[in-house]
Amino acid sequence: MPELPEVETIRQGLAQWVTGRRISSVEVRHPRAVRRHLLGAVHFADVLAGRTVLDVRRRGKYLWLPLDSGDAVVGHLGMSGQLLLRPADAPDETHLRVRFRFADDGPELRFVDQRTFGGLAVSEGGAELPAEIAHIARDPMDPLFSDAAFVAALRRRHTEVKRALLDQTLISGVGNIYADEALWRAQLHG
């Protein structure tokens, strides 16, 4: 599963290629990819057509694309999800789930997910911070992350340190691999 550094790399790449582009159409090829969008696949596609992507942001392992409508596309990659930029004439990937076409006829944005554990949804009014992910703590790369507040919250917990590191409401973006590596480096047993 992608962890914070991988998701940040994806965010940076997407920001370079989709910011300022107007979505002309969205094709949902597998309804499970938008299962968290409770109004369904057709609504998901309809509400995004004609919208302009203003930015690409991240909190922990979640990405969101603020739109000119004040809404946002929220995404989580799950274990095998990918957000790929491909020329419109490139062959479809085997596990293509959602396709975003843009008005400038530039590269498409494709959500590809072999296992369909990841997903996309539209967050109404979620351009600044989608309500669906507001409970997730800031991550260490966030300029507003407070080391002191994290340490104080960690000290209040009565659990194993690895479990605390994996708690996304305490600190976000840390997954199994990075928790293990941090504990190994600190010479602590999880």
Side-chain angles (χ1 to χ4, degrees):
M1 176 177 288
E3 296 186 38
L4 187 148
E6 293 85 7
V7 179
E8 175 60 17
T9 299
I10 293 165
R11 187 203 66 75
Q12 290 174 10
L14 287 177
Q16 178 182 354
W17 289 97
V18 302
T19 301
R21 295 179 71 197
R22 188 169 58 83
I23 300 167
S24 61
S25 67
V26 177
E27 176 188 1
V28 178
R29 297 174 52 106
H30 196 295
R32 187 167 167 179
V34 295
R35 68 188 172 281
R36 290 183 182 97
H37 186 79
L38 301 180
L39 297 175
V42 172
H43 183 268
F44 178 86
D46 289 347
V47 76
L48 294 175
R51 303 279 43 114
T52 298
V53 178
L54 302 178
D55 196 5
V56 181
R57 297 182 183 164
R58 180 192 53 73
R59 171 137 326 163
K61 301 176 194 179
Y62 283 85
L63 293 164
W64 78 93
L65 286 66
L67 304 170
D68 62 345
S69 63
D71 298 336
V73 178
V74 179
H76 192 285
L77 300 177
M79 293 187 75
S80 60
Q82 299 173 296
L83 286 164
L84 306 174
L85 288 149
R86 295 285 189 250
D89 60 355
D92 289 350
E93 293 78 8
T94 302
H95 302 288
L96 175 62
R97 305 302 183 199
V98 180
R99 177 193 328 266
F100 294 82
R101 290 188 177 96
F102 294 93
D104 61 11
D105 293 325
E108 297 177 343
L109 177 61
R110 297 179 181 184
F111 179 64
V112 177
D113 191 359
Q114 178 180 0
R115 299 171 123 181
T116 59
F117 290 158
L120 304 173
V122 174
S123 175
E124 291 185 17
E128 284 304 312
L129 178 63
E132 298 84 350
I133 61 174
H135 68 284
I136 297 173
R138 296 186 185 280
D139 61 68
M141 294 176 71
D142 188 317
L144 298 176
F145 180 81
S146 167
D147 289 343
F150 168 67
V151 169
L154 183 61
R155 286 186 174 160
R156 287 191 298 270
R157 298 291 167 107
H158 298 285
T159 187
E160 297 87 7
V161 67
K162 182 175 179 181
R163 184 177 302 216
L165 291 173
L166 295 175
D167 181 348
Q168 301 297 295
T169 64
L170 183 62
I171 184 171
S172 67
V174 179
N176 207 27
I177 295 170
Y178 286 101
D180 284 345
E181 292 295 324
L183 292 170
W184 175 261
R185 189 165 186 175
Q187 298 179 3
L188 294 173
H189 190 279

